[in-house]
């Protein structure tokens, strides 16, 4: 299991704005590949820009969720150390282009995401499926990933002071989720389906204006760690459960220090500290943020979302002009 290394929590929080620049630069680098049908080129451009910018930050950062193992990825591989090696020690979880297929087709909801936390505090999740459930701060402590969706909707509705039929549930449009979709509709509640990328939908549960009450479904485990970090910064709640599909995936869990691969994981087990942050920058327009825009005066416009954990949780939407 991870061994936590002491670090100054205020330094970790202060790094959020440095990582905003990291996210912005990765999104801008990926922008030229929108709609070009070349996922690898887009991901490579975002990855290189992200890595170069992170190496300018005064920190000792270690990639725990990245582009793959050292033999699979030349940059941002799991275990890679980044930064000037001076300053706070961090776990870093990244996806330079979340939604590569969406981006390659010119579709919405492609974005750059990065999360950081004190060293030793983020779950080292293998690249496999994870069952997930997310809610906002008003329903914190109510969810149980082992209960039925009907049971979870009932307790969440009570916490939100709503009737069950007034709830809106975010679910990825996949065949594996048809039973969940049917269950929501049978209860008279609303569904909001999305084709790919579940991180924005989970975050939306924590932002009242987005009118999303819960996200449920099965998606990528690495993305689950990034999502849990964002949700923790926002004061919401998240639970996950790894879903290994083979003996090889079970062995992979054990190798990464996860002794009970199918154990229910609470948000505090996925992210073991409140000293954490999350940053996302839109590449294409999406639920959470707008995409990169090129302006006639040679400026580039970016739209980002920054969430910072700690004693006083807060988030910001940031529009920036880049020459």
């Amino acid at each position: 299991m991870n061994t936590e290394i002491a670090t100054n929590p205020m330094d970790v929080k202060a790094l959020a704005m440095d990582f905003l620049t990291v996210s912005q630069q990765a999104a801008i680098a990926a922008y030229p590949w929108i709609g070009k049908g070349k996922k690898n080129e887009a991901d490579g451009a975002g990855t290189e820009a992200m890595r170069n910018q992170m190496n300018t930050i005064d920190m000792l950062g270690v990639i725990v969720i990245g582009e793959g193992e050292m033999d699979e990825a030349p940059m941002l591989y799991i275990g890679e150390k980044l930064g000037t090696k001076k300053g706070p020690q961090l776990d870093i979880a990244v996806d330079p282009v979340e939604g590569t297929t969406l981006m390659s087709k010119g579709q919405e909801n492609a974005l750059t995401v990065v999360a950081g936390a004190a060293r030793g505090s983020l779950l080292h999740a293998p690249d496999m499926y994870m069952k997930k459930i997310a809610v906002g701060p008003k329903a914190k402590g109510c969810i149980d990933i082992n209960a039925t969706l009907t049971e979870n909707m009932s307790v969440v509705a009570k916490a939100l002071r709503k009737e069950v039929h007034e709830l809106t549930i975010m679910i990825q449009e996949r065949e594996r989720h048809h039973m969940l979709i049917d269950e929501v509709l049978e209860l008279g509640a609303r569904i909001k389906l999305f084709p790919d990328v579940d991180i924005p939908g989970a975050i939306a549960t924590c932002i009242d204006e987005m009118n999303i009450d819960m996200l449920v479904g099965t998606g990528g485990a690495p993305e689950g760690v990034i999502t849990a970090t964002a949700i923790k910064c926002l004061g919401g709640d998240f639970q996950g459960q790894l879903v290994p599909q083979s003996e090889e995936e079970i062995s992979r869990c054990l190798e990464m220090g996860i002794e009970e691969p199918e154990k229910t994981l609470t948000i505090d087990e996925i992210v073991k500290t409140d000293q954490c942050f999350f940053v996302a920058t839109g590449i294409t327009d999406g639920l959470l943020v707008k995409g990169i825009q090129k302006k006639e005066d040679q400026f580039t416009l970016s739209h980002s979302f920054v969430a910072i954990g700690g004693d006083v949780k807060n988030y910001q939407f940031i529009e920036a002009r880049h020459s």
Side-chain angles (χ1 to χ4, degrees):
M1 299 300 288
N2 299 346
T3 301
E4 187 157 356
I5 300 173
T7 185
N8 184 338
M10 293 308 296
D11 287 344
V12 175
K13 289 173 63 177
L15 285 167
M17 301 316 289
D18 287 327
F19 276 85
L20 170 62
T21 304
V22 169
S23 181
Q24 291 168 336
Q25 292 303 312
I28 291 169
Y31 169 82
W33 297 101
I34 294 174
K36 299 293 183 66
K38 297 183 177 181
K39 297 191 297 184
N40 293 338
E41 287 82 352
D43 197 51
T47 298
E48 183 174 6
M50 179 174 276
R51 182 177 186 267
N52 289 342
Q53 189 65 39
M54 277 200 278
N55 274 328
T56 69
I57 299 174
D58 285 332
M59 65 170 182
L60 172 55
V62 180
I63 298 293
V64 298
I65 301 290
E67 294 291 277
E69 297 294 332
M70 185 187 298
D71 58 352
E72 299 171 353
M75 294 183 287
L76 301 184
Y77 57 82
I78 297 169
E80 183 175 8
K81 294 179 173 61
L82 298 167
T84 65
K85 313 303 188 290
K86 301 174 183 178
Q89 301 181 50
L90 299 178
D91 281 351
I92 302 171
V94 302
D95 195 335
V97 182
E98 171 71 343
T100 52
T101 299
L102 296 175
M103 182 184 168
S104 71
K105 295 178 179 180
Q107 296 176 333
E108 294 186 342
N109 251 11
L111 69 170
T112 291
V113 293
V114 57
R119 181 78 180 107
S121 58
L122 292 185
L123 177 74
H124 292 207
D127 189 5
M128 63 177 59
Y129 278 127
M130 174 187 275
K131 184 179 175 184
K132 310 173 189 180
I133 182 169
V135 291
K138 294 175 183 176
K140 184 175 177 63
C142 295
I143 54 174
D144 179 359
I145 202 167
N146 296 304
T148 67
L149 178 54
T150 297
E151 290 168 334
N152 276 301
M153 288 174 64
S154 176
V155 295
V156 168
K158 185 176 181 180
L160 299 179
R161 297 182 179 180
K162 293 183 176 183
E163 299 296 328
V164 170
H165 70 266
E166 296 178 302
L167 296 177
T168 300
I169 312 299
M170 196 101 182
I171 305 175
Q172 188 178 19
E173 193 170 12
R174 290 288 189 273
E175 185 175 349
R176 63 180 178 268
H177 294 148
H178 282 178
M179 290 181 65
L180 294 176
I181 293 168
D182 290 344
E183 192 170 351
V184 173
L185 295 176
E186 286 171 6
L187 292 170
R190 299 181 183 89
I191 54 170
K192 187 173 180 65
L193 301 179
F194 63 98
D196 207 352
V197 183
D198 59 10
I199 295 173
I203 291 171
T205 65
C206 297
I207 301 173
D208 288 343
E209 294 79 5
M210 291 190 173
N211 298 314
I212 303 296
D213 299 305
M214 184 190 305
L215 176 136
V216 293
T218 301
E223 292 83 357
V225 175
I226 296 172
T227 298
T229 307
I231 295 286
K232 191 152 196 179
C233 291
L234 296 166
D237 206 356
F238 179 93
Q239 288 184 9
Q241 187 177 51
L242 294 174
V243 187
Q245 304 287 300
S246 64
E247 289 297 325
E248 182 181 350
E249 289 192 348
I250 292 174
S251 297
R252 180 80 177 116
C253 290
L254 298 174
E255 289 170 7
M256 295 182 74
I258 301 170
E259 297 172 0
E260 300 177 67
E262 297 183 44
K263 176 182 180 291
T264 297
L265 297 166
T266 67
I267 193 168
D268 291 332
E269 291 172 312
I270 299 171
V271 187
K272 298 175 184 175
T273 178
D274 284 332
Q275 304 302 329
C276 53
F277 60 84
F278 167 85
V279 183
T281 300
I283 302 173
T284 60
D285 289 351
L287 174 68
L288 185 64
V289 285
K290 294 180 182 178
I292 297 295
Q293 300 171 11
K294 290 286 187 179
K295 296 299 182 180
E296 293 180 1
D297 57 4
Q298 302 303 310
F299 279 88
T300 299
L301 201 62
S302 70
H303 300 85
S304 302
F305 176 83
V306 180
I308 301 172
D311 296 334
V312 181
K313 297 173 174 60
N314 67 82
Y315 65 86
Q316 304 173 53
F317 288 96
I318 297 174
E319 181 179 279
R321 292 168 64 91
H322 311 265
S323 59

